[in-house]
Amino acid sequence: MSFSDTIGDMITRIRNGQNAGLASVKCPDSLLRQGVLEVLKNEGFIKDFESSEIRTGVRELRIDLKYFEGVGAIKEIKRVSTPGRRSYSKATDIPKVKNGLGIAILSTSQGVLADYEARKRNVGGELLCYVF
């Protein structure tokens, strides 16, 4: 199965999994998805993720969702840049999500970074998603 928006697909799986109260969700593996998940893990939005090979040449990610008192740790997750409309930001113009309570995840020349890390390193890039 081919997806045109792999990050959007993963975000939707996470959102649907949390709404359904699932412990974990699965999605196809890619380095960009792993980068986004690493940022989500470091910021405390998900418990963990693991990559495994389901058959020769096909890898899959298992994402362990995080809950606090029965409510999902991710209140809102929104895709910003889409394949049809890319959204880029300079280091000085990276937006603050919910007045700094949330994060923006960017794909930069130095890898996938959270907004504050990109500002600290003074790099801009493609705005992948907002998480709160």
Side-chain angles (χ1 to χ4, degrees):
M1 184 183 284
S2 174
F3 297 106
S4 62
D5 186 9
T6 58
I7 299 299
D9 174 62
M10 181 182 71
I11 287 171
T12 300
R13 288 175 192 235
I14 291 172
R15 187 183 313 115
N16 290 345
Q18 276 200 332
N19 288 342
L22 301 177
S24 66
V25 293
K26 294 182 179 181
C27 69
D29 193 2
S30 75
L31 289 177
L32 182 59
R33 286 179 178 177
Q34 285 184 18
V36 171
L37 290 173
E38 191 65 42
V39 171
L40 289 174
K41 179 182 170 186
N42 292 341
E43 298 300 318
F45 288 109
I46 62 171
K47 281 185 189 175
D48 201 5
F49 68 95
E50 181 183 7
S51 177
S52 61
E53 191 166 14
I54 55 176
R55 62 181 182 269
T56 307
V58 180
R59 299 192 65 79
E60 182 177 70
L61 288 167
R62 190 191 82 244
I63 306 162
D64 296 327
L65 303 177
K66 188 174 184 179
Y67 297 92
F68 180 73
E69 295 180 354
V71 179
I74 298 174
K75 304 282 185 267
E76 181 181 326
I77 186 165
K78 179 183 174 190
R79 180 77 157 118
V80 179
S81 184
T82 63
R85 187 185 55 81
R86 299 289 184 189
S87 179
Y88 297 94
S89 180
K90 294 187 284 189
T92 55
D93 298 335
I94 298 172
K96 291 192 178 213
V97 179
K98 303 280 187 183
N99 236 0
L101 295 175
I103 62 166
I105 299 177
L106 290 91
S107 176
T108 69
S109 60
Q110 297 181 13
V112 179
L113 302 173
D115 56 356
Y116 65 89
E117 185 68 28
R119 279 190 212 95
K120 188 168 83 173
R121 295 184 187 188
N122 197 30
V123 293
E126 182 180 357
L127 286 169
L128 297 176
C129 61
Y130 295 148
V131 185
F132 173 71

Short mmCIF file of all heavy atoms in Angstrom, two decimals, residues 11 15 18 40 45 72-79 97-98 102-103 129-132:
data_model
loop_
_atom_site.label_atom_id
_atom_site.label_comp_id
_atom_site.label_asym_id
_atom_site.label_seq_id
_atom_site.Cartn_x
_atom_site.Cartn_y
_atom_site.Cartn_z
N ILE A 11 0.17 10.36 12.10
CA ILE A 11 -0.50 11.24 13.05
C ILE A 11 -1.95 10.81 13.25
O ILE A 11 -2.46 10.76 14.37
CB ILE A 11 -0.40 12.70 12.57
CG1 ILE A 11 1.02 13.21 12.75
CG2 ILE A 11 -1.39 13.60 13.30
CD1 ILE A 11 1.29 14.55 12.12
N ARG A 15 -3.74 9.62 16.72
CA ARG A 15 -4.96 10.29 17.19
C ARG A 15 -6.11 9.31 17.37
O ARG A 15 -6.77 9.29 18.41
CB ARG A 15 -5.36 11.40 16.20
CG ARG A 15 -6.49 12.26 16.67
CD ARG A 15 -6.93 13.30 15.63
NE ARG A 15 -5.83 14.03 15.03
CZ ARG A 15 -5.49 13.97 13.75
NH1 ARG A 15 -6.14 13.20 12.90
NH2 ARG A 15 -4.49 14.68 13.28
N GLN A 18 -5.48 6.90 20.38
CA GLN A 18 -5.75 7.52 21.68
C GLN A 18 -7.24 7.69 21.92
O GLN A 18 -7.72 7.47 23.02
CB GLN A 18 -5.05 8.87 21.79
CG GLN A 18 -3.63 8.74 22.23
CD GLN A 18 -3.07 10.01 22.81
OE1 GLN A 18 -3.48 11.11 22.46
NE2 GLN A 18 -2.11 9.86 23.70
N LEU A 40 8.59 13.16 19.83
CA LEU A 40 7.42 12.94 20.68
C LEU A 40 7.78 12.19 21.96
O LEU A 40 7.27 12.49 23.03
CB LEU A 40 6.34 12.17 19.91
CG LEU A 40 5.63 12.92 18.80
CD1 LEU A 40 4.69 11.98 18.04
CD2 LEU A 40 4.85 14.10 19.34
N PHE A 45 5.20 12.83 25.03
CA PHE A 45 3.87 12.66 24.44
C PHE A 45 3.54 11.19 24.18
O PHE A 45 2.38 10.82 24.12
CB PHE A 45 3.73 13.46 23.16
CG PHE A 45 3.64 14.95 23.39
CD1 PHE A 45 4.69 15.78 23.05
CD2 PHE A 45 2.51 15.50 23.96
CE1 PHE A 45 4.62 17.14 23.27
CE2 PHE A 45 2.42 16.86 24.18
CZ PHE A 45 3.48 17.69 23.84
N GLY A 72 -5.47 10.80 27.18
CA GLY A 72 -4.27 10.75 26.36
C GLY A 72 -3.34 11.92 26.62
O GLY A 72 -3.78 13.04 26.89
N ALA A 73 -2.03 11.66 26.57
CA ALA A 73 -1.04 12.70 26.80
C ALA A 73 -1.07 13.75 25.68
O ALA A 73 -0.73 14.90 25.91
CB ALA A 73 0.35 12.09 26.90
N ILE A 74 -1.49 13.35 24.49
CA ILE A 74 -1.59 14.27 23.36
C ILE A 74 -3.01 14.81 23.31
O ILE A 74 -3.96 14.07 23.04
CB ILE A 74 -1.23 13.59 22.03
CG1 ILE A 74 0.22 13.10 22.06
CG2 ILE A 74 -1.44 14.55 20.86
CD1 ILE A 74 0.61 12.28 20.85
N LYS A 75 -3.16 16.09 23.60
CA LYS A 75 -4.50 16.71 23.55
C LYS A 75 -4.88 17.03 22.11
O LYS A 75 -6.01 16.88 21.71
CB LYS A 75 -4.52 18.01 24.37
CG LYS A 75 -4.10 17.86 25.80
CD LYS A 75 -5.21 17.28 26.64
CE LYS A 75 -4.83 17.26 28.09
NZ LYS A 75 -4.25 16.02 28.53
N GLU A 76 -3.89 17.50 21.36
CA GLU A 76 -4.14 17.91 19.98
C GLU A 76 -2.87 17.68 19.17
O GLU A 76 -1.79 18.05 19.60
CB GLU A 76 -4.52 19.40 19.96
CG GLU A 76 -4.83 19.98 18.63
CD GLU A 76 -5.17 21.47 18.74
OE1 GLU A 76 -5.76 21.89 19.75
OE2 GLU A 76 -4.80 22.19 17.80
N ILE A 77 -3.01 17.06 18.01
CA ILE A 77 -1.88 16.87 17.09
C ILE A 77 -2.40 17.20 15.70
O ILE A 77 -3.43 16.69 15.26
CB ILE A 77 -1.29 15.45 17.20
CG1 ILE A 77 -0.03 15.32 16.34
CG2 ILE A 77 -2.31 14.39 16.89
CD1 ILE A 77 0.80 14.10 16.67
N LYS A 78 -1.70 18.11 15.03
CA LYS A 78 -2.21 18.64 13.75
C LYS A 78 -1.08 18.69 12.73
O LYS A 78 0.01 19.19 13.01
CB LYS A 78 -2.77 20.04 14.00
CG LYS A 78 -3.30 20.73 12.79
CD LYS A 78 -3.76 22.13 13.14
CE LYS A 78 -4.16 22.86 11.88
NZ LYS A 78 -4.39 24.28 12.14
N ARG A 79 -1.35 18.19 11.54
CA ARG A 79 -0.40 18.23 10.43
C ARG A 79 -0.39 19.64 9.86
O ARG A 79 -1.44 20.23 9.63
CB ARG A 79 -0.83 17.21 9.36
CG ARG A 79 0.07 17.15 8.16
CD ARG A 79 1.34 16.39 8.47
NE ARG A 79 1.94 15.86 7.26
CZ ARG A 79 3.14 16.22 6.84
NH1 ARG A 79 3.86 17.08 7.51
NH2 ARG A 79 3.62 15.70 5.74
N VAL A 97 3.55 27.18 19.75
CA VAL A 97 2.27 26.47 19.80
C VAL A 97 1.64 26.68 21.17
O VAL A 97 2.27 26.38 22.19
CB VAL A 97 2.48 24.97 19.50
CG1 VAL A 97 1.17 24.22 19.56
CG2 VAL A 97 3.14 24.78 18.15
N LYS A 98 0.43 27.18 21.20
CA LYS A 98 -0.31 27.43 22.45
C LYS A 98 0.54 28.22 23.43
O LYS A 98 0.66 27.88 24.60
CB LYS A 98 -0.77 26.12 23.08
CG LYS A 98 -1.64 25.26 22.19
CD LYS A 98 -3.05 25.72 22.17
CE LYS A 98 -3.89 24.72 21.39
NZ LYS A 98 -5.24 25.11 21.25
N GLY A 102 2.78 23.92 23.83
CA GLY A 102 2.91 22.81 22.88
C GLY A 102 4.22 22.95 22.13
O GLY A 102 5.03 23.84 22.39
N ILE A 103 4.42 22.05 21.17
CA ILE A 103 5.64 22.11 20.35
C ILE A 103 5.28 22.02 18.87
O ILE A 103 4.25 21.48 18.51
CB ILE A 103 6.64 20.98 20.70
CG1 ILE A 103 6.03 19.61 20.44
CG2 ILE A 103 7.15 21.10 22.11
CD1 ILE A 103 7.04 18.48 20.43
N CYS A 129 4.38 19.25 12.04
CA CYS A 129 3.12 19.19 12.80
C CYS A 129 3.24 20.01 14.07
O CYS A 129 4.32 20.37 14.52
CB CYS A 129 2.74 17.74 13.12
SG CYS A 129 3.95 16.85 14.12
N TYR A 130 2.05 20.31 14.65
CA TYR A 130 1.92 20.94 15.95
C TYR A 130 1.39 19.91 16.93
O TYR A 130 0.48 19.16 16.60
CB TYR A 130 0.94 22.11 15.91
CG TYR A 130 1.34 23.28 15.04
CD1 TYR A 130 0.38 24.03 14.39
CD2 TYR A 130 2.67 23.64 14.87
CE1 TYR A 130 0.71 25.12 13.62
CE2 TYR A 130 3.02 24.71 14.09
CZ TYR A 130 2.03 25.46 13.46
OH TYR A 130 2.38 26.52 12.69
N VAL A 131 1.94 19.89 18.13
CA VAL A 131 1.50 18.95 19.16
C VAL A 131 1.26 19.73 20.44
O VAL A 131 2.08 20.55 20.85
CB VAL A 131 2.55 17.85 19.42
CG1 VAL A 131 2.02 16.81 20.39
CG2 VAL A 131 2.99 17.20 18.14
N PHE A 132 0.12 19.42 21.08
CA PHE A 132 -0.22 20.04 22.36
C PHE A 132 -0.82 19.01 23.28
O PHE A 132 -1.61 18.19 22.88
CB PHE A 132 -1.21 21.19 22.14
CG PHE A 132 -1.72 21.76 23.43
CD1 PHE A 132 -0.90 22.51 24.25
CD2 PHE A 132 -3.02 21.53 23.84
CE1 PHE A 132 -1.38 23.02 25.44
CE2 PHE A 132 -3.51 22.05 25.03
CZ PHE A 132 -2.68 22.79 25.83
#
